Amino acid sequence: MTEATVERLRLFLIESPIKMARLQGVGNVKGTVKRVLLELTSSDGVIGWGEAAPWEVFTGTPEAAFSALDIYLRPIVLGKPVRRIRALMAELDRALVGHAEAKVAIEMALLDIVGKSSRLSVADLLGGRVRDTIPLSFSIADPDFAADLERMRKMVPDGNVIYKVKTGVKPHREDLEHLEAIRNEFGDKVDLRVDYNQALAPFGAIKILRDVEQFAPTFIEQPVPRKYLDVMAHLTAALETPVLADESCFDRRDMMEVVRREAADAVSIKLMKAGGLFEAQAIMAIADIAGLPGYGGTLWEGGIGLAAGTQLIAATPGISLGCEFYMPHHVLTEDVLEERIANRAGHVVVPDGPGLGIRVSEASVRANARVLAEA
């Protein structure tokens, strides 16, 4: 039997309106978010979808991801066997440094094709499910804190109990007031976490974080810039609250260094950092050995990227701290899926169909596309 190959590659640079501004320690977002959607078609007619969602202050720009896919990676991908995913990913790494988001878009589209062809979900291809739902974490990041508090009043009774407060953007006193307001209103009913997104300077960070500890957060995420790994280690040793590494850990090498220096108690696993689902599992395997649990982080992915993220977490036992896959339901005004991935009782429900388990709306893709490239 002839092995199926990649026959066509289409790219869409998408710009989608969002419902609310987002204040983050490393950068802010309002109005719209951009991302790149990738459609691969195999020689036997099976279509797979992928998504690249860079953020210019975190990993790169959507325009750069689009160009990387269109100019540099397209010639390598076309004609390749769809089932030889690891071999192709290694070739992409040799051909182009960086651009993790562009590469993961290709990998998830190939996994989508292979899953559909074999009638298996991507989670099955990654080793099989250990969970069918994932606790959902919503980020408190609206410039209008009162609006976020009102959202919580509606969400908590529905079972949404995990909230991650973006700190370090506003004055410290204001951060403390917001944490106090949440604890006063909801008490221990909510699982409260804080995320500085690298906002703190090393000097004085310990005093600020000890103030925050009085509100019993589950973890403190990336308090200082990623380059200060020794400071992360000092904070991890000094604080009662677990420290979670995000920007300090992009790949396996970073994970090894975090473990070696004891620079965190947990790690954020993001597909857009890792550059692949297989790579994300490899990072988590190192964390598992050291006893560090994982958290399902995100940038600004829509439904395609988050479908891949849910499949990854479903098949990866160590990613046990929930996920922040709230963008399509709570922030995007419109997603490109025919039906959004279900949220139920504060959990994301992992799609159980073949491949990524989603159906993409061609009309929505074209309506939101700013640039199209196909061959």
Side-chain angles (χ1 to χ4, degrees), residues 121-131 281 311 313-317:
S121 72
V122 169
D124 293 330
L125 298 176
L126 294 175
R129 293 184 181 215
V130 296
R131 55 180 67 88
Q281 283 195 316
Q311 298 286 341
I313 296 174
T316 311

Side-chain angles (χ1 to χ4, degrees), residues 12-16 33-37 62 66 334 336 364-371:
F12 306 86
L13 179 61
I14 300 289
E15 186 168 9
S16 302
V33 293
K34 294 178 182 178
R35 58 200 195 277
V36 180
L37 305 186
F66 187 97
E334 179 188 3
V336 298
S364 294
V365 170
R366 289 192 172 274
N368 288 278
R370 296 294 174 264
V371 182

